[in-house]
Amino acid sequence: MTPLLLEDRYGRVATDLRVSLTDRCNLRCSYCMPPEGLDWLPDDSVLTDDEVVRLIRIGVERLGIQEVRFTGGEPLVRRGLVDIVRRTRELGEHLDISVTTNALGLSRNATALKDAGLDRVNVSLDTARADTFHRITRRDRFHDVVAGLEAAQAAGLGPVKVNAVLLRGENEDQAPELLAWCLERGYELRFIEQMPLDAQHGWSREGMVTAEEIFASLSTAYTLTPAEEPRGSAPAELFTVDGGPGTVGVIASVTRPFCGDCDRVRLTADGQVRNCLFARSESDLRAALRDGVDDEELAQRWVVAMRGKAAGHGIDDPTFLQPDRPMSAIGG
């Protein structure tokens, strides 16, 4: 079977599939959602394990998907996660399979996930200080994240990557400290500019800590040199730290957009295709799937969904509108 391509009008081909397994999360990060949480998706609207695996299989076998990353919300709260990973691995040893997680509970599941076929984890952690963590996440669970990171590394889910967001007035001065903490433990740190994907719609460009500010902060303690390896479609600009071997990355989605090299497509927990993280529209595969549409038709609908992808996310455009769905409901 010759696969179709998830190609948009600008020649970009999506080979990296981000699959959100739930919109629920057990943290309440201030830049993501309010303290009381959100109105979660109704259970019957969320794809079943079989539906998730079927769509991934169509992506891999018919549409050229090469990487699958499970996201949320928090994917570890999905009871079927280990089995979904195992069934995804059965689709091919060539697949790169990863999970983006807050690491709560990872200490209990790391070995099982590795045995199921997971390659690696990306852990969201914005600080190396327990008190700052408590303020940002509104939960006193820093020690659980540390245990999860350690378990992932011990299980061989590497390289273990850490994703951090700097918040003005909260942890913006902690970049060198967090980098030192990660380098000491062998974790690969990536700083991410805060994006307009919060449920409260309180994001502002003026309040965001920019990539330039991140570089300036890191340069007070380290010498950064652009990495020799080509960036390709990777979101992060990678730098060696003090000559290496340690590295640090910066994902400047807002101030240094990399839309022209994007190779990602997203599937929400309720079965909607999003051809861009900031898309204002979605394409419903769940309804078609539950109406009995065959694999070929589902693949064709997916191809059509990708054709509508915009040239860029348009955050700099005065007409930019933040997506209605927050990050927790889209999947990272």
Side-chain angles (χ1 to χ4, degrees):
M1 182 189 308
T2 302
L4 300 168
L5 293 179
L6 289 173
E7 185 173 9
D8 64 32
R9 294 169 295 169
Y10 304 95
R12 297 167 299 190
V13 178
T15 58
D16 183 342
L17 173 61
R18 307 293 173 94
V19 181
S20 177
L21 296 177
T22 179
D23 63 329
R24 299 171 186 257
C25 188
N26 41 16
L27 295 179
R28 296 290 182 269
C29 296
S30 59
Y31 56 85
C32 186
M33 64 177 70
E36 65 274 15
L38 300 168
D39 292 330
W40 309 125
L41 290 168
D43 289 344
D44 60 358
S45 73
V46 175
L47 296 179
T48 66
D49 293 3
D50 288 345
E51 289 171 336
V52 169
V53 174
R54 181 183 175 191
L55 290 177
I56 294 173
R57 177 177 57 76
I58 291 170
V60 172
E61 295 180 354
R62 294 175 177 264
L63 300 171
I65 293 298
Q66 299 171 15
E67 301 177 45
V68 177
R69 179 178 297 184
F70 295 106
T71 68
E74 173 44 52
L76 287 182
V77 307
R78 175 86 180 222
R79 292 183 178 179
L81 174 61
V82 173
D83 191 54
I84 291 171
V85 169
R86 178 186 60 77
R87 294 168 68 184
T88 301
R89 174 53 67 202
E90 290 172 354
L91 298 175
E93 289 301 316
H94 68 285
L95 286 177
D96 183 299
I97 306 175
S98 60
V99 166
T100 294
T101 173
N102 62 27
L104 298 188
L106 187 57
S107 60
R108 298 189 301 272
N109 294 297
T111 299
L113 287 166
K114 178 65 176 179
D115 292 344
L118 190 70
D119 290 308
R120 54 191 174 81
V121 295
N122 285 40
V123 174
S124 300
L125 179 64
D126 305 319
T127 177
R129 302 179 190 178
D131 58 341
T132 305
F133 180 91
H134 194 175
R135 287 197 303 273
I136 292 175
T137 67
R138 305 184 178 106
R139 297 291 186 271
D140 188 13
R141 303 292 299 275
F142 178 74
H143 60 287
D144 291 319
V145 178
V146 172
L149 282 162
E150 292 172 348
Q153 191 172 60
L157 292 170
V160 175
K161 296 183 180 180
V162 171
N163 298 334
V165 175
L166 296 182
L167 306 174
R168 200 169 302 284
E170 191 63 75
N171 64 339
E172 63 182 310
D173 60 340
Q174 296 181 26
E177 176 184 328
L178 182 57
L179 178 53
W181 191 87
C182 289
L183 290 172
E184 181 181 344
R185 291 159 177 79
Y187 307 144
E188 296 186 4
L189 178 60
R190 304 287 185 268
F191 288 102
I192 304 175
E193 286 183 336
Q194 184 188 359
M195 293 179 282
L197 291 167
D198 59 307
Q200 306 93 308
H201 286 214
W203 179 92
S204 72
R205 190 181 181 96
E206 296 73 27
M208 178 190 71
V209 179
T210 67
E212 288 304 319
E213 291 176 280
I214 295 169
F215 290 129
S217 179
L218 292 174
S219 68
T220 64
Y222 299 100
T223 299
L224 304 184
T225 306
E228 294 183 0
E229 61 187 83
R231 179 179 180 180
S233 60
E237 294 181 69
L238 197 61
F239 300 84
T240 58
V241 180
D242 290 344
T247 63
V248 65
V250 176
I251 300 176
S253 303
V254 177
T255 63
R256 302 185 185 187
F258 39 87
C259 301
D261 295 312
C262 181
D263 65 350
R264 287 166 290 286
V265 60
R266 290 171 170 82
L267 182 66
T268 66
D270 55 349
Q272 311 299 305
V273 172
R274 294 183 65 90
N275 55 33
C276 173
L277 186 60
F278 297 94
R280 296 285 300 173
S281 62
E282 301 173 335
S283 300
D284 187 1
L285 292 186
R286 182 193 65 203
L289 188 154
R290 292 182 178 177
D291 284 344
V293 167
D294 63 20
D295 288 359
E296 182 177 355
E297 175 64 19
L298 286 169
Q300 291 288 352
R301 292 186 183 211
W302 205 333
V303 169
V304 171
M306 286 303 297
R307 284 289 176 180
K309 184 170 183 172
H313 54 50
I315 294 176
D316 279 335
D317 192 307
T319 64
F320 173 79
L321 292 175
Q322 182 171 333
D324 293 329
R325 291 217 209 200
M327 176 68 92
S328 60
I330 295 172

